[in-house]
Amino acid sequence: NTVVRESSGINAEYGGMSRKNTTTWGRQFCPAHPNVPLVEDYRAGDTVCPECGLVVGDRVIDVGSEWRTFADDTGDDPSRVGAAENPLLSGDLTTTIQFTGNNYEMQRMANRISNSGNDRALVQAFGEIRLMATRLNASQAIIDRANTLFKNMTDTKALRGRSTEANCAACLYIACNQEGATRTFKEICAACTVTKKQIGKSFKLILRALNTSVEIIKTGDFMSRFCSNLDIGHKAQTVATAVARQAVDLDIVAGKVPVTVAAAAIYFTCLAMDIDKSAKDIGDVAGVAETTIKQTFRAMYPSRDKLFPSDFVPKVNLDNIAAK
């Protein structure tokens, strides 16, 4: 059908009816076909009669999606604006231009122009925290808490002169503990390039400067994750948790760190339940040396009758268990 546009307020073809007569009680209609549903052409912004092509109304507002896609790949890209403003940064909203290829200098100059000195340091630190958290499979809640801790420490200037990466690692360690996803110092060290000693110094300074504390690490904090990575089942996890708790309560493993006690309890449980997991397998997951696990196991072995739950039935004779 040919679209017929009115050149004036009077449409001679349809008996001199003006455009204002094509609307009744807020409803538009074609004067020649008043019962025919009109078609909206969003591209042209017109309302057209499908029978005769008469343009009944124009300047139609498009109520569809307002964005345009600038993505390299195909498909809809709902991104209409940049990232949300970071409340931890003091600067105003800025535009970040991504450069490709060998445009490193242009990227560096753009970052210098768009960010102040303090914000530039914070952005770099937040990137370090996110990278380490990704290696640890940490959640977004942990990342946000670690970023807040680092921002607070920056405001107090208590960590000035220390390694930024060590400070980020210490903030991430505290955030994991406070969010209930405890990680060991050794795991944090594996996710960065600084030493445990450097992280420990920053950790102590943060606790002192912010007047905060972390929960005492217990063996149960690691048991679920270690058993899941070892794929030894929920029943073995329950027994190992009970063994570790009893060993601590009876003061059998005094002086041993919780992660070592947890690894030894898992090893003892695997021996009792005849699960094919060696001390080396458990040590690789827990980050504990094989000899340390066996030494802790030997300290626990004389009290074997007191460690396991009363309803536990071992698959092997506990008196004949020998370290593999």
Side-chain angles (χ1 to χ4, degrees), residues 61-70 77-81:
I61 298 176
D62 186 359
V63 296
S65 302
E66 72 274 21
W67 63 73
R68 295 178 296 165
T69 176
F70 298 97
D77 180 14
S79 301
R80 304 182 294 282
V81 295

Side-chain angles (χ1 to χ4, degrees), residues 95-296:
T95 300
T96 301
I97 303 175
Q98 182 178 3
F99 296 93
T100 58
N102 298 323
N103 295 319
Y104 172 75
E105 288 298 325
M106 295 182 65
Q107 178 74 66
R108 186 171 62 86
M109 293 303 298
N111 290 338
R112 282 186 173 274
I113 294 172
S114 61
N115 296 321
S116 64
N118 291 335
D119 284 354
R120 189 161 56 247
L122 287 176
V123 169
Q124 181 182 0
F126 294 165
E128 291 281 350
I129 291 174
R130 179 170 293 278
L131 180 61
M132 287 186 281
T134 302
R135 293 169 180 169
L136 293 171
N137 292 324
S139 64
Q140 184 62 41
I142 294 176
I143 297 175
D144 293 340
R145 184 178 287 271
N147 289 344
T148 303
L149 285 171
F150 189 90
K151 176 63 167 61
N152 294 338
M153 288 305 303
T154 302
D155 294 340
T156 61
K157 300 180 181 179
L159 295 178
R160 177 174 291 182
R162 294 198 171 273
S163 168
T164 300
E165 189 174 7
N167 298 338
C168 292
C171 291
L172 186 60
Y173 174 82
I174 296 174
C176 288
N177 185 289
Q178 293 178 345
E179 289 294 329
T182 307
R183 296 294 192 275
T184 63
F185 275 116
K186 187 171 289 187
E187 289 176 302
I188 298 295
C189 288
C192 59
T193 59
V194 292
T195 64
K196 180 179 177 180
K197 184 177 181 180
Q198 290 176 293
I199 299 175
K201 288 182 177 179
S202 297
F203 169 72
K204 292 178 181 178
L205 286 175
I206 293 173
L207 295 184
R208 190 182 307 118
L210 298 182
N211 194 22
T212 186
S213 62
V214 295
E215 295 290 333
I216 298 176
I217 298 177
K218 301 177 181 179
T219 56
D221 296 334
F222 310 102
M223 200 64 71
S224 177
R225 181 156 48 92
F226 290 170
C227 292
S228 176
N229 292 337
L230 290 167
D231 194 22
I232 61 175
H234 180 70
K235 183 178 180 180
Q237 175 185 334
T238 303
V239 175
T241 303
V243 170
R245 187 185 302 113
Q246 280 293 100
V248 174
D249 293 343
L250 296 176
D251 202 22
I252 299 173
V253 288
K256 300 292 185 181
V257 294
V259 64
T260 300
V261 177
I266 294 174
Y267 178 61
F268 202 169
T269 302
C270 290
L271 292 177
M273 298 182 66
D274 198 20
I275 299 175
D276 188 20
K277 295 293 179 182
S278 64
K280 185 179 184 307
D281 296 333
I282 299 172
D284 292 341
V285 171
V288 182
E290 179 181 358
T291 55
T292 304
I293 294 177
K294 290 185 177 181
Q295 287 175 358
T296 308

